[in-house]
Amino acid sequence: MDQDFINTLLLTGKLAGWTTAILFVVGFPLAYLLAYKRFWVKPVVEALISMPMVLPPTVLGFYMLVAYSPQNAFGRFLSDHFNTRLAFSFEGVLIASVLFSLPFMIQPLQNGLTSIPKSLRETSYTLGKSEFTTFIRVLIPNMIPSIITAAAMTFAHCIGEFGVVIMVGGNMPGETRVASIAIFDEVQALNYHTANQYSVVLFIISLVILTLVYSINKRNPINL
Amino acid sequence: MNIENLRDKTNFDSPLGVGGSLCITITKAMLTSEGTTNLEVCTEINDNELLCLFGHSGAGKTTLLRILAGLTKPDKGLIVFNGMVWFDSEKKINIPPQQRNVGYMFQDYALFPNMTVEHNIRFAQKTKDKNEVDQLIKLFDLEALKNQHPAKLSGGQKQRVALARALAAKPNVLLLDEPLSALDFDMRLALQHEIRKAHELLNTITLMVTHDLQEVFHLATSVVILKNGNVINQGKPVDVFSQDKTPYLYLK
């Protein structure tokens, strides 16, 4: 196997890994708010988070490119203060990927939280425990299957992402050329053998991850 | 007792002299199957009382317990425990459940599934004390079960663990929401004894929701009868039920 092939797969794993890690940190507080708190814009927030499930990736990709452009406020700010351009860079793809994978992290976590009986939380409060302690000691240990599902689905979805990456990142080896892009590229160049190698790897990884998710949730069914 | 008198009392420099008495004057709109009714309760519960809340479903028994625990917010009113204001709608005081130190036992017992029996009890302690956990485990006959997770326990065993856990926090008030309703008859009789034991150990107020007259007579030092959100009678069980030859009328 040549170095290019391995680098592309490593980059794919790096993007999916970072996306999952970032969403893990962002996802818990967000899922907690959506599961337990009431606020008037909640339906809008929920709809926005779920948008990537129905929206063409090219739409988000397009708006990300617009935002990254130095002609607009966000892009100009980055370019002036950090001398950074996000378009066609790994970081740019990563931000888009985090936004685009939000529902795959949030929804299993939110379902996990709401499926825990309210009486467990309330008992913990009456025993003098803060919301944070209750979250760490009572809620998280009782939603492990949901947490694994959330992480696995985010990772798997990220590995399969194509539209957002090609819009925001293009096809730059070592920077933004992930496996799904490489397959498209190799087919265009009539390198069916290499395209097949990438495809087999993605197929197997996705199958293993989804099998893991379904076997974990066999005993604790959670709506994905 | 009216609300102004209560307010005056709380202005004393020293706490109320009557030990751990609980004064309640609250109003809360409730949604029931028959539309909205107001829960209106105005009562004073003396220290050491084991009080049963008796009445049909939807009368507001559980809502009252939740209000006392700080889990549900009343619309209006005042709750004072031992000179300390827990809730005052006028002064916008609402002490959160964490600071009220009540022991609340849910109908489903709400044992933490991820913890063993021993860890459930230890979790409740404000200051960790292994000896005390061991004593509670012994007292409620849980030695053989202490390393089990709640999923493996029967209803009666869960109830005993829940009681032991509630006691481990040394609560000011013990609130029990239909603690025996999910158990069969023999088990009920056995566990009534455990509840009395818990009450005597704490030496404070216990409030218990029940549908069962036999439980009231067996356990309660006083009883409050709720109907459609209103207290229609209260006092010693013998006095309350002898005023009416057919106490089951209260249930209809």
Side-chain angles (χ1 to χ4, degrees), chain A residues 123-153:
Chain A
T123 297
S124 179
Y125 298 158
T126 61
L127 292 172
K129 311 297 177 191
S130 65
E131 275 192 66
F132 184 73
T133 307
T134 303
F135 182 64
I136 301 290
R137 301 270 317 266
V138 175
L139 299 178
I140 286 186
N142 289 308
M143 57 179 287
I144 300 292
S146 305
I147 294 171
I148 295 173
T149 301
M153 290 303 287

Side-chain angles (χ1 to χ4, degrees), chain A residues 38-39 97 184 197 202 222:
Chain A
R38 275 187 240 163
F39 45 96
S97 170
F184 180 74
Q197 283 181 326
L202 289 199
I222 286 158

Side-chain angles (χ1 to χ4, degrees), chain B residues 42-113:
Chain B
C42 179
T43 187
E44 182 168 359
I45 305 165
N46 297 321
D47 199 10
N48 282 328
E49 203 114 50
L50 198 163
L51 181 127
C52 278
L53 290 170
F54 187 77
H56 66 95
S57 307
K61 307 184 297 292
T62 299
T63 308
L64 180 57
L65 280 202
R66 292 181 57 85
I67 285 174
L68 293 178
L71 298 170
T72 296
K73 194 181 164 196
D75 300 332
K76 278 198 308 217
L78 185 64
I79 303 171
V80 182
F81 174 76
N82 198 15
M84 191 171 94
V85 178
W86 278 356
F87 179 81
D88 187 341
S89 53
E90 260 181 34
K91 291 184 185 157
K92 302 227 184 305
I93 297 171
N94 187 15
I95 305 291
Q98 282 91 343
Q99 289 162 34
R100 294 192 188 193
N101 194 22
V102 298
Y104 194 109
M105 198 167 118
F106 284 87
Q107 239 175 313
D108 64 0
Y109 308 129
L111 299 177
F112 303 121

Side-chain angles (χ1 to χ4, degrees), chain B residues 6 41 46 87 147 179 190 222:
Chain B
L6 267 177
V41 176
N46 297 321
F87 179 81
N147 293 320
S222 67

Side-chain angles (χ1 to χ4, degrees), chain A residues 23 26-32 34-35 45-46 49-50 101-113 143 150 154:
Chain A
L23 276 176
V26 180
F28 270 111
L30 212 51
Y32 187 89
L34 292 174
V45 176
E46 283 183 302
I49 288 171
S50 299
S101 297
L102 255 179
F104 295 88
M105 180 64 81
I106 299 291
Q107 285 182 3
L109 290 184
Q110 193 182 342
N111 287 335
L113 286 169
M143 57 179 287
T154 307

